[in-house]
Amino acid sequence: MLHEPISETGTDRSIPKKTRLGIFMFLFYMVVYAGFVFIGMMFPRAMGAEVIGGQNLAAVYGFGLILLAVLMGLIYNFLCTRYEDRMNAGGAE
Amino acid sequence: MIYQVSFTAIVIFGIFVLSVLGLSYFFARKAKSASGYYAAGGQIHWLVNGIAFAGDYLSAASFLGICGMIAFFGYDGFLYSIGYLAGWVVALFLVAEPLKRMGKYTFADALDAKFNSRSIKLTAAISTLVVSIFYLIPQMVGAGALVTPLLGLPHWLGVVIVGSVVIFIVATAGMTSTTYVQFIKGALLIVFSFALVVMVLNKGINLSPSKEYHRFVTLEASLSAGRVQGVAHPDYRVLGQHREGELTFVKLERNGVTSWWKLAAAGAKPILEEALSIVSLEDGTVLYNGEPKENRKFYQVGHVNKIVVDGKEVAATGPLGPFAFLNRIKNSEITRFTSKAFSFGSENVRLFYQNVTPGREVIKPGLYYKLDKGATIWSRLDFLSLMLALFLGTSALPHILIRYYTVPSQRAARKSTIVAISAIGLFYILTLFMGTGAMINGGLDVQNSNMSAPLLAKTFGLTLFSIISAIAFATILGTVSGLIVAASGAVAHDLMDKFLKIEMSEKGKVKAGRIAAVAVGIVAIILGIIFEKQNVNFLVGLAFAIAASANLPAILMLLFWKKTTSRGISWAISVGVLSSLGIILFSPTLYEIYGLSPAQAPIPLQNPGIISIPLGFITLVVASLLTGKRAAEKA
């Protein structure tokens, strides 16, 4: 038995473009996440500083990271779907 | 804590378990082929798969462990929520679609798609087994922790029940029933967690969490030469005192019942604050707050010491919105309970004394991870190590990766990942409110940090407690099922079929998978009993570190570095598994389990990621460059 995928995926011409987008979005999120870890590790008191609406930096940054992941996921899906529809028209996935 | 068995809880729990078993029986007929058993035929709808992803991922660690850690240590528990969710970004942007394109049933298939190498099959299968078993331990520990209060059974029996039910689910119907169990459980978990948070916010913050909540007493004490001579209450008699560092604990007696108190100061006056105590006497008798277990005097705790609204102290806030709730917590003082153990004459004493903590310390990191006061280079590195492992671990967990093979296309894989991120993100936001809710509403069992979410539900009534406990139990069933499918796939598909090349028919492959599922389940049961006392969240952090060290370098470099060789992959997996396991085995936590002093541990890190993850990447690069060069020379 070979190691073929269980279901056919067909030819997808948008793969290089989706890969580049994925790497870019991953790097962007990683930088934001690294900022959170760096502040927590090196400047823990700053996490207690009030920033917006009486909320401290820890709460705002923490919730922000979760919401950013969801938002970026939606944007990524929107763009990938558009690439697939445009580039695979006539011989799609 | 001492729990009382509830008939309602047993009935609701029974309905849940029977429903899950019925579902497995129903889907068993679809699991006759290898693709049906390991990958649900690759035909699951992306929306169902997305919620099933959430059901798979939101394990005992997320529900019981994170809520418990937040309830005991505030924001430090929420760090896990942030890290676990951030890990999905790596899965979505880098791993989901390529893995879907390359794989068939298991993570080893994907890694081996390019090389057809036996060493990759072997090392990837071993890595899958190690990660799955490390992930299984906390699920089993969580199961035992839940069943104790719910059914009044001992921890080991809870573990055996979960193990048996899951073995039945997986052995009968494989990935199809696992998917639907995870889908139902994921949806229920999010809906009821949301309901619980709404109730917490609607209740607001009160100085007295409920009518039944124990009222902690303080007594004025008279001191002479640093020793407590008497208290301002005629019924109490001083029996002795014990100094532990800067803290002084005093033993009192009233009407034949002994109790322990912490010496504190209110202004210039010395006072005694009531503590919870578990005392083991020389003859083996154990007293809970000075009385036998059956008297039920060891209660659930957690309350607010002072509430400040707009600069004024109040007794209750009334209903609050989510941001106002966090704000009020930040401006309040919260009574946490800190543990201290010592010997007093022939008695072994374990105390849980009141530790009033400013709310602003609760809503920021530092109560568990020492990052500010008392921080060392190792404590900071431990924090970094954890956050790195959580970020990089998700996309390397074999039981998560196999879910990409249950959907029909790359697009479906991507969409289901986004559904998962949204559902999981919502749940993780809720954890902060459930954890702090338990912290201030008497939702703490000081002996077991894993019980905070169900105990919070209990403060709103026994029915909700029963439902939440049953959902938590289903949570464990769902995750354990996924893990056992992954582990049995590693044994039957990767090792027996691919590595050892044992000739098997389609039916034979399914049968091998079922036998492997039973074997892995038994191992998980045994380990779940051994690790009873550990926080489940901490244990899952270790599984993430092993996955990130062993699997992620192989996955990412295979996808993004053309010079990657099969030797590089198998070496990286081996070094990742061995180095992360080695660091864990010599860590302070494991030293404690061995019965040794944690201070003697040669590696003072709790989480190995900071060392073992880079080591995995370096090994892959060096081994690939060396073996690639040799191959080029031979050519």
Side-chain angles (χ1 to χ4, degrees), chain B residues 317-360:
Chain B
T317 61
L320 294 166
F323 294 112
F325 178 82
L326 292 180
N327 225 337
R328 301 288 183 268
I329 293 267
K330 187 163 62 69
N331 295 327
S332 302
E333 279 182 2
I334 292 156
T335 303
R336 297 161 58 233
F337 286 79
T338 306
S339 171
K340 198 61 102 176
F342 55 85
S343 295
F344 187 74
S346 60
E347 298 174 354
N348 287 321
V349 180
R350 191 164 178 217
L351 292 186
F352 304 91
Y353 63 89
Q354 297 179 59
N355 183 356
V356 176
T357 308
R360 64 179 179 278

mmCIF file of all heavy atoms in Angstrom, chain B residues 317-360:
data_model
loop_
_atom_site.group_PDB
_atom_site.id
_atom_site.type_symbol
_atom_site.label_atom_id
_atom_site.label_comp_id
_atom_site.label_asym_id
_atom_site.label_seq_id
_atom_site.Cartn_x
_atom_site.Cartn_y
_atom_site.Cartn_z
ATOM 1 N N THR B 317 -21.519 43.374 44.516
ATOM 2 C CA THR B 317 -21.527 44.280 43.357
ATOM 3 C C THR B 317 -22.826 44.221 42.565
ATOM 4 O O THR B 317 -23.141 45.154 41.840
ATOM 5 C CB THR B 317 -20.401 43.900 42.376
ATOM 6 O OG1 THR B 317 -20.637 42.557 41.930
ATOM 7 C CG2 THR B 317 -19.037 43.999 43.023
ATOM 8 N N GLY B 318 -23.550 43.115 42.666
ATOM 9 C CA GLY B 318 -24.681 42.905 41.760
ATOM 10 C C GLY B 318 -24.159 42.414 40.420
ATOM 11 O O GLY B 318 -22.944 42.235 40.252
ATOM 12 N N PRO B 319 -25.069 42.184 39.445
ATOM 13 C CA PRO B 319 -24.651 41.646 38.141
ATOM 14 C C PRO B 319 -23.611 42.542 37.458
ATOM 15 O O PRO B 319 -23.679 43.770 37.562
ATOM 16 C CB PRO B 319 -25.951 41.627 37.338
ATOM 17 C CG PRO B 319 -27.038 41.587 38.364
ATOM 18 C CD PRO B 319 -26.524 42.372 39.528
ATOM 19 N N LEU B 320 -22.676 41.879 36.774
ATOM 20 C CA LEU B 320 -21.593 42.617 36.126
ATOM 21 C C LEU B 320 -21.399 42.143 34.686
ATOM 22 O O LEU B 320 -21.620 40.964 34.389
ATOM 23 C CB LEU B 320 -20.272 42.395 36.881
ATOM 24 C CG LEU B 320 -20.168 42.954 38.298
ATOM 25 C CD1 LEU B 320 -18.946 42.342 38.992
ATOM 26 C CD2 LEU B 320 -20.063 44.469 38.274
ATOM 27 N N GLY B 321 -20.930 43.046 33.835
ATOM 28 C CA GLY B 321 -20.499 42.641 32.496
ATOM 29 C C GLY B 321 -19.103 42.036 32.611
ATOM 30 O O GLY B 321 -18.462 42.161 33.655
ATOM 31 N N PRO B 322 -18.625 41.387 31.538
ATOM 32 C CA PRO B 322 -17.327 40.702 31.631
ATOM 33 C C PRO B 322 -16.161 41.635 31.980
ATOM 34 O O PRO B 322 -15.299 41.280 32.796
ATOM 35 C CB PRO B 322 -17.144 40.063 30.252
ATOM 36 C CG PRO B 322 -18.194 40.645 29.379
ATOM 37 C CD PRO B 322 -19.282 41.149 30.247
ATOM 38 N N PHE B 323 -16.132 42.821 31.372
ATOM 39 C CA PHE B 323 -15.004 43.717 31.645
ATOM 40 C C PHE B 323 -15.110 44.322 33.044
ATOM 41 O O PHE B 323 -14.111 44.469 33.751
ATOM 42 C CB PHE B 323 -14.928 44.814 30.576
ATOM 43 C CG PHE B 323 -14.600 44.274 29.224
ATOM 44 C CD1 PHE B 323 -15.524 44.301 28.201
ATOM 45 C CD2 PHE B 323 -13.361 43.687 28.983
ATOM 46 C CE1 PHE B 323 -15.225 43.764 26.954
ATOM 47 C CE2 PHE B 323 -13.050 43.141 27.745
ATOM 48 C CZ PHE B 323 -13.991 43.185 26.721
ATOM 49 N N ALA B 324 -16.343 44.663 33.452
ATOM 50 C CA ALA B 324 -16.544 45.204 34.804
ATOM 51 C C ALA B 324 -16.178 44.147 35.849
ATOM 52 O O ALA B 324 -15.614 44.460 36.907
ATOM 53 C CB ALA B 324 -17.995 45.649 34.979
ATOM 54 N N PHE B 325 -16.490 42.888 35.544
ATOM 55 C CA PHE B 325 -16.166 41.792 36.473
ATOM 56 C C PHE B 325 -14.649 41.742 36.713
ATOM 57 O O PHE B 325 -14.189 41.722 37.866
ATOM 58 C CB PHE B 325 -16.662 40.470 35.859
ATOM 59 C CG PHE B 325 -16.365 39.254 36.689
ATOM 60 C CD1 PHE B 325 -17.171 38.896 37.762
ATOM 61 C CD2 PHE B 325 -15.272 38.441 36.391
ATOM 62 C CE1 PHE B 325 -16.894 37.756 38.515
ATOM 63 C CE2 PHE B 325 -14.990 37.308 37.143
ATOM 64 C CZ PHE B 325 -15.805 36.973 38.207
ATOM 65 N N LEU B 326 -13.882 41.762 35.618
ATOM 66 C CA LEU B 326 -12.419 41.713 35.764
ATOM 67 C C LEU B 326 -11.905 42.942 36.497
ATOM 68 O O LEU B 326 -10.984 42.876 37.312
ATOM 69 C CB LEU B 326 -11.750 41.596 34.389
ATOM 70 C CG LEU B 326 -11.972 40.281 33.634
ATOM 71 C CD1 LEU B 326 -11.265 40.310 32.289
ATOM 72 C CD2 LEU B 326 -11.482 39.087 34.450
ATOM 73 N N ASN B 327 -12.526 44.072 36.188
ATOM 74 C CA ASN B 327 -12.137 45.324 36.832
ATOM 75 C C ASN B 327 -12.347 45.281 38.343
ATOM 76 O O ASN B 327 -11.504 45.708 39.123
ATOM 77 C CB ASN B 327 -12.989 46.453 36.227
ATOM 78 C CG ASN B 327 -12.125 47.642 35.915
ATOM 79 O OD1 ASN B 327 -11.064 47.795 36.509
ATOM 80 N ND2 ASN B 327 -12.569 48.477 34.999
ATOM 81 N N ARG B 328 -13.530 44.777 38.744
ATOM 82 C CA ARG B 328 -13.841 44.688 40.180
ATOM 83 C C ARG B 328 -12.909 43.709 40.885
ATOM 84 O O ARG B 328 -12.478 43.945 42.002
ATOM 85 C CB ARG B 328 -15.295 44.241 40.403
ATOM 86 C CG ARG B 328 -16.340 45.143 39.785
ATOM 87 C CD ARG B 328 -16.472 46.476 40.526
ATOM 88 N NE ARG B 328 -17.525 47.265 39.934
ATOM 89 C CZ ARG B 328 -17.357 48.151 38.965
ATOM 90 N NH1 ARG B 328 -16.152 48.388 38.498
ATOM 91 N NH2 ARG B 328 -18.392 48.830 38.473
ATOM 92 N N ILE B 329 -12.629 42.593 40.206
ATOM 93 C CA ILE B 329 -11.694 41.608 40.783
ATOM 94 C C ILE B 329 -10.341 42.287 41.008
ATOM 95 O O ILE B 329 -9.706 42.136 42.059
ATOM 96 C CB ILE B 329 -11.497 40.401 39.819
ATOM 97 C CG1 ILE B 329 -12.777 39.606 39.698
ATOM 98 C CG2 ILE B 329 -10.305 39.532 40.257
ATOM 99 C CD1 ILE B 329 -12.950 38.459 40.629
ATOM 100 N N LYS B 330 -9.918 43.047 40.008
ATOM 101 C CA LYS B 330 -8.608 43.718 40.076
ATOM 102 C C LYS B 330 -8.534 44.672 41.266
ATOM 103 O O LYS B 330 -7.494 44.812 41.896
ATOM 104 C CB LYS B 330 -8.391 44.483 38.760
ATOM 105 C CG LYS B 330 -7.022 45.085 38.586
ATOM 106 C CD LYS B 330 -6.761 45.435 37.137
ATOM 107 C CE LYS B 330 -7.709 46.474 36.587
ATOM 108 N NZ LYS B 330 -7.550 47.822 37.128
ATOM 109 N N ASN B 331 -9.652 45.287 41.593
ATOM 110 C CA ASN B 331 -9.654 46.269 42.686
ATOM 111 C C ASN B 331 -10.050 45.665 44.034
ATOM 112 O O ASN B 331 -10.215 46.395 45.007
ATOM 113 C CB ASN B 331 -10.610 47.421 42.347
ATOM 114 C CG ASN B 331 -10.124 48.186 41.135
ATOM 115 O OD1 ASN B 331 -8.922 48.315 40.926
ATOM 116 N ND2 ASN B 331 -11.040 48.665 40.317
ATOM 117 N N SER B 332 -10.223 44.346 44.076
ATOM 118 C CA SER B 332 -10.637 43.703 45.324
ATOM 119 C C SER B 332 -9.461 42.975 45.973
ATOM 120 O O SER B 332 -8.349 42.963 45.450
ATOM 121 C CB SER B 332 -11.753 42.687 45.032
ATOM 122 O OG SER B 332 -12.835 43.314 44.412
ATOM 123 N N GLU B 333 -9.751 42.383 47.131
ATOM 124 C CA GLU B 333 -8.765 41.514 47.779
ATOM 125 C C GLU B 333 -9.370 40.108 47.831
ATOM 126 O O GLU B 333 -10.511 39.935 48.266
ATOM 127 C CB GLU B 333 -8.496 41.965 49.211
ATOM 128 C CG GLU B 333 -7.534 43.124 49.320
ATOM 129 C CD GLU B 333 -7.258 43.499 50.761
ATOM 130 O OE1 GLU B 333 -7.779 42.841 51.693
ATOM 131 O OE2 GLU B 333 -6.526 44.474 50.954
ATOM 132 N N ILE B 334 -8.605 39.129 47.397
ATOM 133 C CA ILE B 334 -9.136 37.768 47.306
ATOM 134 C C ILE B 334 -8.412 36.849 48.284
ATOM 135 O O ILE B 334 -7.188 36.920 48.415
ATOM 136 C CB ILE B 334 -8.996 37.241 45.861
ATOM 137 C CG1 ILE B 334 -9.949 38.052 44.974
ATOM 138 C CG2 ILE B 334 -9.335 35.769 45.760
ATOM 139 C CD1 ILE B 334 -9.606 38.104 43.573
ATOM 140 N N THR B 335 -9.185 36.016 48.968
ATOM 141 C CA THR B 335 -8.574 35.059 49.889
ATOM 142 C C THR B 335 -8.302 33.766 49.153
ATOM 143 O O THR B 335 -9.232 33.061 48.758
ATOM 144 C CB THR B 335 -9.509 34.799 51.091
ATOM 145 O OG1 THR B 335 -9.782 36.046 51.728
ATOM 146 C CG2 THR B 335 -8.858 33.853 52.086
ATOM 147 N N ARG B 336 -7.005 33.507 48.942
ATOM 148 C CA ARG B 336 -6.591 32.228 48.364
ATOM 149 C C ARG B 336 -6.160 31.314 49.506
ATOM 150 O O ARG B 336 -6.021 31.766 50.644
ATOM 151 C CB ARG B 336 -5.435 32.442 47.382
ATOM 152 C CG ARG B 336 -5.830 33.312 46.191
ATOM 153 C CD ARG B 336 -4.601 33.899 45.500
ATOM 154 N NE ARG B 336 -3.724 32.838 45.051
ATOM 155 C CZ ARG B 336 -2.427 32.768 45.348
ATOM 156 N NH1 ARG B 336 -1.853 33.711 46.078
ATOM 157 N NH2 ARG B 336 -1.682 31.762 44.913
ATOM 158 N N PHE B 337 -5.951 30.059 49.212
ATOM 159 C CA PHE B 337 -5.546 29.118 50.263
ATOM 160 C C PHE B 337 -4.215 28.479 49.881
ATOM 161 O O PHE B 337 -4.087 27.884 48.812
ATOM 162 C CB PHE B 337 -6.635 28.065 50.488
ATOM 163 C CG PHE B 337 -7.814 28.638 51.221
ATOM 164 C CD1 PHE B 337 -8.754 29.410 50.551
ATOM 165 C CD2 PHE B 337 -7.953 28.476 52.592
ATOM 166 C CE1 PHE B 337 -9.826 29.985 51.219
ATOM 167 C CE2 PHE B 337 -9.011 29.048 53.273
ATOM 168 C CZ PHE B 337 -9.954 29.810 52.579
ATOM 169 N N THR B 338 -3.230 28.664 50.750
ATOM 170 C CA THR B 338 -1.881 28.177 50.474
ATOM 171 C C THR B 338 -1.586 26.983 51.373
ATOM 172 O O THR B 338 -1.936 26.977 52.552
ATOM 173 C CB THR B 338 -0.853 29.303 50.715
ATOM 174 O OG1 THR B 338 -1.245 30.434 49.940
ATOM 175 C CG2 THR B 338 0.544 28.875 50.328
ATOM 176 N N SER B 339 -0.936 25.991 50.782
ATOM 177 C CA SER B 339 -0.682 24.735 51.515
ATOM 178 C C SER B 339 0.676 24.758 52.218
ATOM 179 O O SER B 339 1.640 25.320 51.710
ATOM 180 C CB SER B 339 -0.735 23.588 50.503
ATOM 181 O OG SER B 339 -0.307 22.406 51.097
ATOM 182 N N LYS B 340 0.722 24.162 53.378
ATOM 183 C CA LYS B 340 1.985 24.005 54.119
ATOM 184 C C LYS B 340 1.915 22.681 54.877
ATOM 185 O O LYS B 340 0.903 22.373 55.511
ATOM 186 C CB LYS B 340 2.100 25.187 55.096
ATOM 187 C CG LYS B 340 3.464 25.468 55.642
ATOM 188 C CD LYS B 340 4.480 25.803 54.611
ATOM 189 C CE LYS B 340 4.813 27.257 54.466
ATOM 190 N NZ LYS B 340 5.888 27.493 53.494
ATOM 191 N N ALA B 341 2.969 21.887 54.770
ATOM 192 C CA ALA B 341 2.988 20.588 55.474
ATOM 193 C C ALA B 341 4.162 20.555 56.448
ATOM 194 O O ALA B 341 5.242 21.064 56.154
ATOM 195 C CB ALA B 341 3.114 19.458 54.463
ATOM 196 N N PHE B 342 3.933 19.972 57.622
ATOM 197 C CA PHE B 342 5.012 19.850 58.620
ATOM 198 C C PHE B 342 4.647 18.764 59.623
ATOM 199 O O PHE B 342 3.511 18.271 59.659
ATOM 200 C CB PHE B 342 5.259 21.195 59.331
ATOM 201 C CG PHE B 342 4.042 21.801 59.970
ATOM 202 C CD1 PHE B 342 3.640 21.431 61.263
ATOM 203 C CD2 PHE B 342 3.287 22.752 59.300
ATOM 204 C CE1 PHE B 342 2.524 21.992 61.851
ATOM 205 C CE2 PHE B 342 2.161 23.327 59.886
ATOM 206 C CZ PHE B 342 1.769 22.943 61.166
ATOM 207 N N SER B 343 5.632 18.389 60.435
ATOM 208 C CA SER B 343 5.379 17.419 61.507
ATOM 209 C C SER B 343 5.224 18.176 62.808
ATOM 210 O O SER B 343 5.955 19.143 63.075
ATOM 211 C CB SER B 343 6.548 16.445 61.622
ATOM 212 O OG SER B 343 6.628 15.688 60.462
ATOM 213 N N PHE B 344 4.284 17.724 63.617
ATOM 214 C CA PHE B 344 4.064 18.341 64.926
ATOM 215 C C PHE B 344 3.996 17.199 65.947
ATOM 216 O O PHE B 344 2.970 16.509 66.039
ATOM 217 C CB PHE B 344 2.771 19.155 64.910
ATOM 218 C CG PHE B 344 2.548 19.953 66.170
ATOM 219 C CD1 PHE B 344 3.289 21.098 66.430
ATOM 220 C CD2 PHE B 344 1.594 19.549 67.104
ATOM 221 C CE1 PHE B 344 3.080 21.830 67.583
ATOM 222 C CE2 PHE B 344 1.385 20.282 68.265
ATOM 223 C CZ PHE B 344 2.132 21.426 68.508
ATOM 224 N N GLY B 345 5.101 16.991 66.650
ATOM 225 C CA GLY B 345 5.183 15.818 67.525
ATOM 226 C C GLY B 345 5.073 14.566 66.663
ATOM 227 O O GLY B 345 5.804 14.421 65.677
ATOM 228 N N SER B 346 4.123 13.709 66.982
ATOM 229 C CA SER B 346 3.964 12.477 66.200
ATOM 230 C C SER B 346 2.943 12.661 65.072
ATOM 231 O O SER B 346 2.626 11.714 64.363
ATOM 232 C CB SER B 346 3.501 11.353 67.135
ATOM 233 O OG SER B 346 2.264 11.726 67.727
ATOM 234 N N GLU B 347 2.422 13.878 64.929
ATOM 235 C CA GLU B 347 1.374 14.114 63.918
ATOM 236 C C GLU B 347 1.968 14.675 62.628
ATOM 237 O O GLU B 347 2.904 15.482 62.676
ATOM 238 C CB GLU B 347 0.355 15.130 64.455
ATOM 239 C CG GLU B 347 -0.364 14.664 65.700
ATOM 240 C CD GLU B 347 -1.266 15.767 66.272
ATOM 241 O OE1 GLU B 347 -1.226 16.914 65.761
ATOM 242 O OE2 GLU B 347 -1.998 15.483 67.226
ATOM 243 N N ASN B 348 1.421 14.238 61.490
ATOM 244 C CA ASN B 348 1.759 14.873 60.210
ATOM 245 C C ASN B 348 0.629 15.840 59.863
ATOM 246 O O ASN B 348 -0.522 15.423 59.726
ATOM 247 C CB ASN B 348 1.908 13.830 59.111
ATOM 248 C CG ASN B 348 3.187 13.046 59.273
ATOM 249 O OD1 ASN B 348 4.225 13.610 59.636
ATOM 250 N ND2 ASN B 348 3.121 11.749 59.065
ATOM 251 N N VAL B 349 0.997 17.105 59.761
ATOM 252 C CA VAL B 349 -0.027 18.153 59.594
ATOM 253 C C VAL B 349 0.067 18.751 58.193
ATOM 254 O O VAL B 349 1.169 19.056 57.716
ATOM 255 C CB VAL B 349 0.178 19.275 60.639
ATOM 256 C CG1 VAL B 349 -0.875 20.368 60.474
ATOM 257 C CG2 VAL B 349 0.159 18.703 62.041
ATOM 258 N N ARG B 350 -1.053 18.876 57.527
ATOM 259 C CA ARG B 350 -1.106 19.619 56.260
ATOM 260 C C ARG B 350 -2.136 20.725 56.423
ATOM 261 O O ARG B 350 -3.312 20.447 56.684
ATOM 262 C CB ARG B 350 -1.471 18.687 55.114
ATOM 263 C CG ARG B 350 -1.270 19.368 53.788
ATOM 264 C CD ARG B 350 -1.237 18.403 52.646
ATOM 265 N NE ARG B 350 -1.094 19.168 51.414
ATOM 266 C CZ ARG B 350 -1.686 18.860 50.278
ATOM 267 N NH1 ARG B 350 -2.421 17.779 50.202
ATOM 268 N NH2 ARG B 350 -1.514 19.609 49.219
ATOM 269 N N LEU B 351 -1.657 21.953 56.297
ATOM 270 C CA LEU B 351 -2.545 23.106 56.489
ATOM 271 C C LEU B 351 -2.821 23.811 55.169
ATOM 272 O O LEU B 351 -1.983 23.822 54.277
ATOM 273 C CB LEU B 351 -1.903 24.118 57.426
ATOM 274 C CG LEU B 351 -1.720 23.746 58.887
ATOM 275 C CD1 LEU B 351 -1.200 24.960 59.652
ATOM 276 C CD2 LEU B 351 -3.017 23.276 59.495
ATOM 277 N N PHE B 352 -3.970 24.406 55.096
ATOM 278 C CA PHE B 352 -4.320 25.289 53.975
ATOM 279 C C PHE B 352 -4.742 26.605 54.616
ATOM 280 O O PHE B 352 -5.867 26.721 55.109
ATOM 281 C CB PHE B 352 -5.440 24.688 53.132
ATOM 282 C CG PHE B 352 -5.117 23.312 52.627
ATOM 283 C CD1 PHE B 352 -5.470 22.183 53.368
ATOM 284 C CD2 PHE B 352 -4.428 23.137 51.446
ATOM 285 C CE1 PHE B 352 -5.157 20.915 52.918
ATOM 286 C CE2 PHE B 352 -4.106 21.864 50.990
ATOM 287 C CZ PHE B 352 -4.470 20.747 51.739
ATOM 288 N N TYR B 353 -3.804 27.555 54.658
ATOM 289 C CA TYR B 353 -4.100 28.789 55.382
ATOM 290 C C TYR B 353 -4.533 29.898 54.422
ATOM 291 O O TYR B 353 -4.229 29.876 53.235
ATOM 292 C CB TYR B 353 -2.898 29.229 56.229
ATOM 293 C CG TYR B 353 -1.654 29.571 55.450
ATOM 294 C CD1 TYR B 353 -1.423 30.860 54.986
ATOM 295 C CD2 TYR B 353 -0.690 28.601 55.182
ATOM 296 C CE1 TYR B 353 -0.283 31.174 54.279
ATOM 297 C CE2 TYR B 353 0.454 28.909 54.474
ATOM 298 C CZ TYR B 353 0.653 30.189 54.019
ATOM 299 O OH TYR B 353 1.783 30.495 53.309
ATOM 300 N N GLN B 354 -5.261 30.852 54.981
ATOM 301 C CA GLN B 354 -5.789 31.951 54.172
ATOM 302 C C GLN B 354 -4.647 32.884 53.747
ATOM 303 O O GLN B 354 -3.810 33.245 54.561
ATOM 304 C CB GLN B 354 -6.810 32.753 54.976
ATOM 305 C CG GLN B 354 -8.029 31.939 55.367
ATOM 306 C CD GLN B 354 -9.003 32.761 56.195
ATOM 307 O OE1 GLN B 354 -9.484 33.783 55.759
ATOM 308 N NE2 GLN B 354 -9.275 32.299 57.405
ATOM 309 N N ASN B 355 -4.643 33.214 52.484
ATOM 310 C CA ASN B 355 -3.587 34.053 51.927
ATOM 311 C C ASN B 355 -4.264 35.182 51.150
ATOM 312 O O ASN B 355 -4.672 34.998 50.003
ATOM 313 C CB ASN B 355 -2.702 33.184 51.026
ATOM 314 C CG ASN B 355 -1.533 33.937 50.450
ATOM 315 O OD1 ASN B 355 -1.395 35.136 50.652
ATOM 316 N ND2 ASN B 355 -0.685 33.224 49.727
ATOM 317 N N VAL B 356 -4.439 36.314 51.801
ATOM 318 C CA VAL B 356 -5.162 37.429 51.161
ATOM 319 C C VAL B 356 -4.269 38.041 50.075
ATOM 320 O O VAL B 356 -3.144 38.456 50.345
ATOM 321 C CB VAL B 356 -5.574 38.493 52.203
ATOM 322 C CG1 VAL B 356 -6.229 39.682 51.512
ATOM 323 C CG2 VAL B 356 -6.530 37.880 53.210
ATOM 324 N N THR B 357 -4.779 38.047 48.854
ATOM 325 C CA THR B 357 -3.990 38.488 47.700
ATOM 326 C C THR B 357 -4.706 39.651 47.009
ATOM 327 O O THR B 357 -5.905 39.556 46.728
ATOM 328 C CB THR B 357 -3.848 37.318 46.692
ATOM 329 O OG1 THR B 357 -3.364 36.182 47.398
ATOM 330 C CG2 THR B 357 -2.917 37.659 45.560
ATOM 331 N N PRO B 358 -3.976 40.742 46.721
ATOM 332 C CA PRO B 358 -4.623 41.845 45.985
ATOM 333 C C PRO B 358 -5.097 41.364 44.622
ATOM 334 O O PRO B 358 -4.384 40.615 43.941
ATOM 335 C CB PRO B 358 -3.493 42.873 45.830
ATOM 336 C CG PRO B 358 -2.455 42.495 46.828
ATOM 337 C CD PRO B 358 -2.569 41.019 47.037
ATOM 338 N N GLY B 359 -6.281 41.807 44.220
ATOM 339 C CA GLY B 359 -6.845 41.391 42.932
ATOM 340 C C GLY B 359 -5.952 41.724 41.763
ATOM 341 O O GLY B 359 -5.912 40.993 40.778
ATOM 342 N N ARG B 360 -5.204 42.833 41.869
ATOM 343 C CA ARG B 360 -4.338 43.217 40.736
ATOM 344 C C ARG B 360 -3.235 42.171 40.509
ATOM 345 O O ARG B 360 -2.699 42.057 39.411
ATOM 346 C CB ARG B 360 -3.748 44.608 40.954
ATOM 347 C CG ARG B 360 -2.828 44.747 42.138
ATOM 348 C CD ARG B 360 -2.258 46.156 42.277
ATOM 349 N NE ARG B 360 -1.398 46.219 43.437
ATOM 350 C CZ ARG B 360 -1.807 46.388 44.685
ATOM 351 N NH1 ARG B 360 -3.110 46.532 44.918
ATOM 352 N NH2 ARG B 360 -0.959 46.406 45.690
#
